[in-house]
Amino acid sequence: MPPLLKIRSERDQMSAIERRIADFILDNAHLLRDYSSQQLASALGISQSSVVKFSQKLGFKGYPDLKYSVGQAVARAGSDPQAAPPAGEPGNGYAQLGERLRHSRQAADDETRVANAQADVERIVALVDGAPKVFVYGLGDDGLYAREFAMRLSLLGMLTVHHADPILMMANLSAVRPGDVLLVFSEFGKLPQLYQLSRQFQDMGGKVVSITRHSANPLRAHADAALVVCAHDPAPSMAQLLYRSALQSLLDFLFVLLCHANPDRHRQLGVNLERIEHLIDT
């Protein structure tokens, strides 16, 4: 896993001092080559041993190993990963903003792809494809993606149960059977009702798949399998857009994998799309 992605993904589990080191590296990755462990420690007002221990906790032999790995990642990116790439004519804010959004979306998609190991994604595809019923749940903005993905699963001929109301979804737990799958959409994975719903679903023999940000959270920690989304930007508005974009790309890929995993699903999709087209035309 790329070093900056690893730091981001583990940040929420770090101590206060470790988070200070992590934030400095993430914000100044392109400058890290100029810092020794002592200089980094002095800049943050911490001990040099804290920097060394931080590096080793991430799986590196020491700080030089971490610095080299970050330097390689920055070199591959071609520039400061936090900066917007130049685009268009000087002073052309319209073109620059458009290019920054495009570049940031591509970076979020790439990080999300790396963060979801092929074996993990294929296991989730197998769980969903073999499930007698697939329950899909999300609240707020997450509910919009949950509803759209539930519709796609229905087009593949899957028996899908979708609710945006926690009480209605809880009532449907009586229909859960061993082998059923619950897809829970939650950006931050910290809502207590989602955790309660997931635990009860598991108690009835079902499997839970969480879809959250690539961060430590209760929902992801207790799920049977997890899909994670990487979307980072200093501007909150941009970070939210990147999350939605990367999430949609991840769901699109999952849908394509489901189509190819089972020829009968692919055939059923064609039948259902033809029925819908006929309904619209008439």
Side-chain angles (χ1 to χ4, degrees), residues 184-199:
V184 188
F185 289 70
S186 177
E187 181 174 354
F188 299 102
K190 295 181 179 180
L191 293 175
Q193 57 265 49
L194 298 181
Y195 171 69
Q196 295 170 9
L197 178 68
S198 299
R199 287 305 299 265

Side-chain angles (χ1 to χ4, degrees), residues 23-99:
D23 290 342
F24 183 90
I25 293 175
L26 292 172
D27 293 338
N28 303 279
H30 61 299
L31 300 176
L32 195 64
R33 64 180 181 275
D34 299 324
Y35 282 80
S36 66
S37 58
Q38 183 58 60
Q39 290 171 326
L40 178 57
S42 298
L44 295 174
I46 60 177
S47 67
Q48 185 179 10
S49 63
S50 295
V51 176
V52 176
K53 291 178 181 177
F54 173 86
S55 304
Q56 294 173 339
K57 188 173 181 179
L58 287 173
F60 297 95
K61 295 179 180 179
Y63 175 74
D65 191 24
L66 169 62
K67 182 168 70 169
Y68 176 78
S69 181
V70 171
Q72 289 291 98
V74 172
R76 282 193 294 270
S79 63
D80 172 9
Q82 299 294 337
E89 299 177 0
N92 188 345
Y94 181 92
Q96 290 176 348
L97 285 174
E99 181 64 14

Side-chain angles (χ1 to χ4, degrees), residues 87-271:
E89 299 177 0
N92 188 345
Y94 181 92
Q96 290 176 348
L97 285 174
E99 181 64 14
R100 180 191 175 195
L101 179 59
R102 185 199 65 77
H103 177 85
S104 297
R105 278 179 170 171
Q106 184 61 55
D109 286 349
D110 291 343
E111 288 191 7
T112 297
R113 184 180 66 254
V114 172
N116 292 279
Q118 179 177 340
D120 295 335
V121 176
E122 289 178 342
R123 177 177 173 238
I124 290 171
V125 169
L127 282 174
V128 174
D129 181 57
K133 295 187 295 297
V134 180
F135 294 72
V136 185
Y137 183 64
L139 291 172
D141 285 349
D142 295 307
L144 299 177
Y145 291 92
R147 177 182 178 183
E148 195 267 346
F149 194 65
M151 182 191 70
R152 289 198 195 185
L153 295 181
S154 296
L155 288 174
L156 292 177
M158 296 183 181
L159 179 55
T160 307
V161 180
H162 167 258
H163 284 298
D165 187 316
I167 296 178
L168 292 177
M169 181 58 83
M170 192 68 73
N172 271 282
L173 289 181
S174 59
V176 176
R177 299 292 181 269
D180 287 347
V181 171
L182 170 64
L183 302 177
V184 188
F185 289 70
S186 177
E187 181 174 354
F188 299 102
K190 295 181 179 180
L191 293 175
Q193 57 265 49
L194 298 181
Y195 171 69
Q196 295 170 9
L197 178 68
S198 299
R199 287 305 299 265
Q200 292 192 38
F201 193 92
Q202 290 170 323
D203 289 342
M204 302 188 73
K207 299 291 185 181
V208 174
V209 177
S210 65
I211 301 98
T212 71
R213 279 188 176 272
H214 193 194
S215 61
N217 60 76
L219 181 60
R220 178 185 172 192
H222 293 92
D224 297 287
L227 292 171
V228 295
V229 178
C230 300
H232 309 278
D233 194 276
S237 57
M238 183 70 78
Q240 184 63 28
L241 290 176
L242 297 181
Y243 176 81
R244 295 175 180 176
S245 175
L247 172 59
Q248 189 63 65
S249 295
L250 178 61
L251 294 177
D252 289 346
F253 185 47
L254 185 63
F255 179 76
V256 170
L257 289 174
L258 285 167
C259 288
H260 285 270
N262 190 329
D264 289 337
R265 303 284 190 205
H266 199 272
R267 180 190 59 80
Q268 188 61 54
L269 173 64
V271 171

Side-chain angles (χ1 to χ4, degrees), residues 1-20:
M1 181 182 295
L4 297 179
L5 178 56
K6 186 175 181 64
I7 291 172
R8 288 194 190 103
S9 66
E10 298 186 10
R11 184 187 179 281
D12 290 349
Q13 299 170 294
M14 295 178 180
S15 66
I17 291 179
E18 291 170 343
R19 285 198 297 271
R20 288 171 60 190

